[in-house]
Amino acid sequence: MRVKEQKLMWQSRNMGLFDKLKLKSQQVAISSLLNYLGNNFSKEKLIGLAKIFEKIAGSKGGVNHARRMQWLFESEHPHLYWWKRILTELNPNCRDKWIQNFFVNGYYGDNLRKRSEFNKANGFFPPTVLLASITKNCNFNCKGCWAHEYDVREDLTKEKWQEIFREARDVMGIHIFPIVGGEPFIRKEFLELAEEFNDCTFITFTNGSLITEQVVEKLKKLGNVQPMFSLGGMRENTDAVRGEGCFDMVMKKMDMLKQAGIFFGASITATSQNCDEVTSDEFMQMLSDKGCLWSWFFHYVPIGESPNVDLVPNAQQREKILKAVYNARNTLPMMTVDFWGDGPEMMGCIAGGRQYIHVNPKGDVEPCTFVHLATNNVNNCTLTEALASPFMSAIRNGIPYEDGNMLRPCMIVDRPEVLRGYYEKFKPYETHQGAADYLTNPEIMGKIDKYSHEVKEILDEDWRNNLWMTIFPLEGEYYIDRDNFCSKVKPGKKCSSEKCACCCH
């Protein structure tokens, strides 16, 4: 089994005497190396950066990740060229903030140490990521968007978000804040918060319409805000959901950010209708060519009042998305992730504070951005208290599920009986009207049950046959293609054995 037990991977690793002093000196070394790499890029120097990451890693999982990164650079995997783009194409401030805030603070250094301290004090690990719905307000009205369903008379105040971010960063070690809405850029205080928490990274999901030349200059100065443009495919599919002219507008905004050297990416919602297009090589190549450094794939989830279950990608399409993401990530200089197919890398579902948590515009603490149920609100408790609730604890402790298949991580559509059980036992409240329709409406439940059964048949067989991979090849392995995945034989070389047993699974 290539997936390690999470307690082993999260085990604290101390650097020894004067731990914090050593960590600080390594961060200074990273800053110096980044300045050098920006003008004098070389594979060897980048391998040196990965070795520093290994030294400052605060857990076994961090060490393993840094070592795998070294192998990817040594074997000239496309991940090497993703890093080259970051180091040579980004504005120096944006480059340094991304690497320091996301990698050093968010994963290798501060986060891993504070996670361990938090675990000792509270008996469970905190999340790595806090997803914040900074506002419900939006200047778009996209089909299928759930944000407008929240009945929010007034968003959480700036002072309350300051309090939330401080607890997340200072107590839990969280430095990664994906920001959603509504439209985040519609709220003036958002960039003020990003400036205040300048040692954190704000991955911001946006329709792009409010990114002006003035905003671009502000983002370049801040360095720690990374826009993620929402797309549903090419022009026809995107405009059908988001409005006429939206696709062309996003393309222009991408050009602006690329020219300014700002890190940005794309957020793709895959449905049963656009699956063929968004998984095509042409679409993925277009995103990379436009300057996207990240692409995040989300499957349509039937949430909200009277959702359309027919839009959920079917079992065959799930497999197609998984393979397309594997292929893009291992052939293009762009980081691509699939929050369902990459379950094996994350050791299963990440909800309930296991790896992330969602605070909505009203302050409700939700286990997942697609599970609009809560038992706590930050206006009445701390984040720590919300995470310690029986509802959140049960979600965390139930992962991974008994059959071990991490290709079916979702408790909404893959394992609906799991979420229904939590809803019945802990009786969380709906954070907006109709939020529990997929748990209580017999017609919707029947469609989800049929879907989960079909997915189980195909993905259980894939799991048994090891037809999956973790996020990248492991040391000594090479990516081949979307049908064969990895091999211990370098592409272009023939295996000497007639019955090849070199596949990475």
Side-chain angles (χ1 to χ4, degrees):
M1 176 61 66
R2 297 157 56 85
V3 178
K4 306 296 184 182
E5 184 180 356
Q6 69 181 40
K7 288 184 179 180
L8 173 64
M9 302 305 285
W10 293 351
Q11 183 179 348
S12 177
R13 173 180 176 265
N14 196 290
M15 295 165 64
L17 193 61
F18 306 121
D19 183 73
K20 291 184 179 179
L21 181 61
K22 288 183 178 181
L23 178 59
K24 184 65 177 179
S25 67
Q26 296 290 2
Q27 289 177 333
V28 172
I30 289 173
S31 297
S32 300
L33 187 55
L34 290 179
N35 289 328
Y36 176 81
L37 280 169
N39 299 312
N40 303 277
F41 177 83
S42 73
K43 180 176 74 174
E44 290 71 27
K45 293 295 183 182
L46 195 52
I47 292 171
L49 178 62
K51 289 181 178 178
I52 295 178
F53 285 162
E54 180 184 347
K55 289 181 180 179
I56 67 173
S59 74
K60 178 67 174 176
V63 171
N64 288 355
H65 187 276
R67 288 176 179 170
R68 177 160 55 167
M69 189 183 295
Q70 292 169 47
W71 164 250
L72 295 174
F73 296 159
E74 290 168 0
S75 62
E76 298 191 0
H77 182 278
H79 197 56
L80 168 72
Y81 301 103
W82 182 69
W83 273 89
K84 182 178 181 180
R85 288 181 62 192
I86 290 172
L87 291 164
T88 62
E89 296 179 12
L90 293 184
N91 171 277
N93 185 45
C94 297
R95 174 200 68 199
D96 293 357
K97 284 290 182 64
W98 169 250
I99 294 174
Q100 288 281 3
N101 294 356
F102 185 85
F103 286 97
V104 178
N105 299 339
Y107 276 111
Y108 289 111
D110 190 49
N111 172 268
L112 294 172
R113 286 167 174 77
K114 284 184 178 173
R115 280 170 61 81
S116 179
E117 294 169 4
F118 184 95
N119 179 48
K120 290 178 182 178
N122 297 282
F124 63 92
F125 286 95
T128 302
V129 172
L130 171 66
L131 183 69
S133 284
I134 204 80
T135 181
K136 80 167 288 288
N137 296 315
C138 186
N139 56 335
F140 277 33
N141 188 25
C142 304
K143 296 177 183 177
C145 179
W146 43 258
H148 66 276
E149 296 185 9
Y150 287 117
D151 181 21
V152 184
R153 296 182 181 179
E154 188 175 343
D155 294 326
L156 289 178
T157 64
K158 176 185 175 181
E159 291 72 26
K160 177 55 71 171
W161 282 116
Q162 289 172 319
E163 183 182 321
I164 293 167
F165 290 153
R166 285 194 199 101
E167 181 184 1
R169 181 190 62 184
D170 300 342
V171 177
M172 303 178 188
I174 300 175
H175 289 261
I176 302 172
F177 299 126
I179 303 297
V180 292
E183 168 53 47
F185 287 102
I186 211 168
R187 183 166 183 178
K188 181 185 67 174
E189 293 94 341
F190 163 51
L191 293 182
E192 294 174 359
L193 286 165
E195 185 172 15
E196 179 178 349
F197 293 86
N198 62 4
D199 60 345
C200 300
T201 193
F202 292 81
I203 302 168
T204 307
F205 293 81
T206 176
N207 59 43
S209 64
L210 301 180
I211 297 180
T212 62
E213 292 288 354
Q214 184 179 5
V215 171
V216 170
E217 288 303 310
K218 181 67 173 178
L219 297 182
K220 190 159 56 173
K221 182 179 179 181
L222 289 174
N224 65 335
V225 177
Q226 296 82 30
M228 296 287 287
F229 294 97
S230 299
L231 290 172
M234 300 298 277
R235 182 177 292 105
E236 183 177 352
N237 276 320
T238 294
D239 287 1
V241 173
R242 312 191 71 77
E244 185 177 354
C246 182
F247 178 82
D248 290 338
M249 178 270 292
V250 168
M251 295 300 104
K252 290 178 182 178
K253 298 306 172 77
M254 285 183 174
D255 290 341
M256 289 169 59
L257 295 186
K258 182 178 181 180
Q259 185 176 3
I262 295 169
F263 189 112
F264 69 92
S267 170
I268 300 104
T269 299
T271 71
S272 58
Q273 296 179 352
N274 70 5
C275 180
D276 288 347
E277 182 168 89
V278 298
T279 58
S280 68
D281 290 341
E282 292 77 15
F283 180 69
M284 301 305 294
Q285 186 69 56
M286 181 276 292
L287 293 178
S288 180
D289 291 344
K290 289 300 290 186
C292 290
L293 288 166
W294 245 4
S295 58
W296 288 18
F297 269 75
F298 297 91
H299 300 192
Y300 173 82
V301 179
I303 58 176
E305 194 170 5
S306 302
N308 185 358
V309 182
D310 295 334
L311 287 176
V312 182
N314 64 36
Q316 291 80 10
Q317 290 173 327
R318 282 275 291 270
E319 201 172 46
K320 189 171 187 176
I321 295 167
L322 176 147
K323 290 184 176 182
V325 169
Y326 287 177
N327 195 62
R329 187 164 58 221
N330 288 284
T331 60
L332 295 173
M334 175 176 69
M335 184 65 179
T336 304
V337 294
D338 170 9
F339 285 86
W340 283 257
D342 282 327
E345 177 68 21
M346 304 309 296
M347 299 173 284
C349 178
I350 62 175
R354 185 175 165 274
Q355 287 282 12
Y356 95 125
I357 202 75
H358 178 222
V359 179
N360 73 22
K362 295 190 296 183
D364 299 310
V365 184
E366 300 173 340
C368 170
T369 187
F370 301 115
V371 178
H372 299 168
L373 306 169
T375 57
N376 295 82
N377 185 291
V378 291
N379 288 303
N380 305 311
C381 71
T382 65
L383 273 180
T384 299
E385 289 169 341
L387 286 167
S389 71
F391 179 47
M392 294 293 186
S393 299
I395 292 173
R396 287 194 302 273
N397 295 335
I399 304 165
Y401 304 110
E402 289 184 3
D403 64 8
N405 187 350
M406 298 177 192
L407 291 175
R408 298 193 295 114
C410 182
M411 61 181 171
I412 303 172
V413 296
D414 291 339
R415 304 171 188 271
E417 70 284 354
V418 173
L419 184 55
R420 290 171 194 167
Y422 295 147
Y423 182 68
E424 179 65 25
K425 181 175 182 179
F426 299 107
K427 296 180 171 42
Y429 59 84
E430 293 179 289
T431 56
H432 62 74
Q433 184 176 344
D437 278 8
Y438 57 31
L439 300 172
T440 59
N441 185 306
E443 182 180 355
I444 298 172
M445 293 167 67
K447 288 184 176 181
I448 291 177
D449 286 342
K450 181 176 182 294
Y451 171 86
S452 66
H453 177 73
E454 293 171 351
V455 167
K456 175 177 170 58
E457 284 193 341
I458 289 181
L459 296 187
D460 276 6
E461 183 176 358
D462 286 351
W463 184 258
R464 286 192 299 269
N465 294 329
N466 288 320
L467 296 178
W468 53 273
M469 63 182 291
T470 48
I471 197 163
F472 287 121
L474 300 184
E475 186 173 356
E477 300 171 353
Y478 304 89
Y479 180 77
I480 305 301
D481 57 41
R482 71 180 71 207
D483 294 314
N484 299 292
F485 300 160
C486 297
S487 170
K488 291 187 180 297
V489 175
K490 191 173 183 178
K493 291 186 178 181
K494 291 185 178 181
C495 184
S496 58
S497 171
E498 291 185 5
K499 294 183 178 180
C500 180
C502 62
C503 175
C504 66
H505 307 300

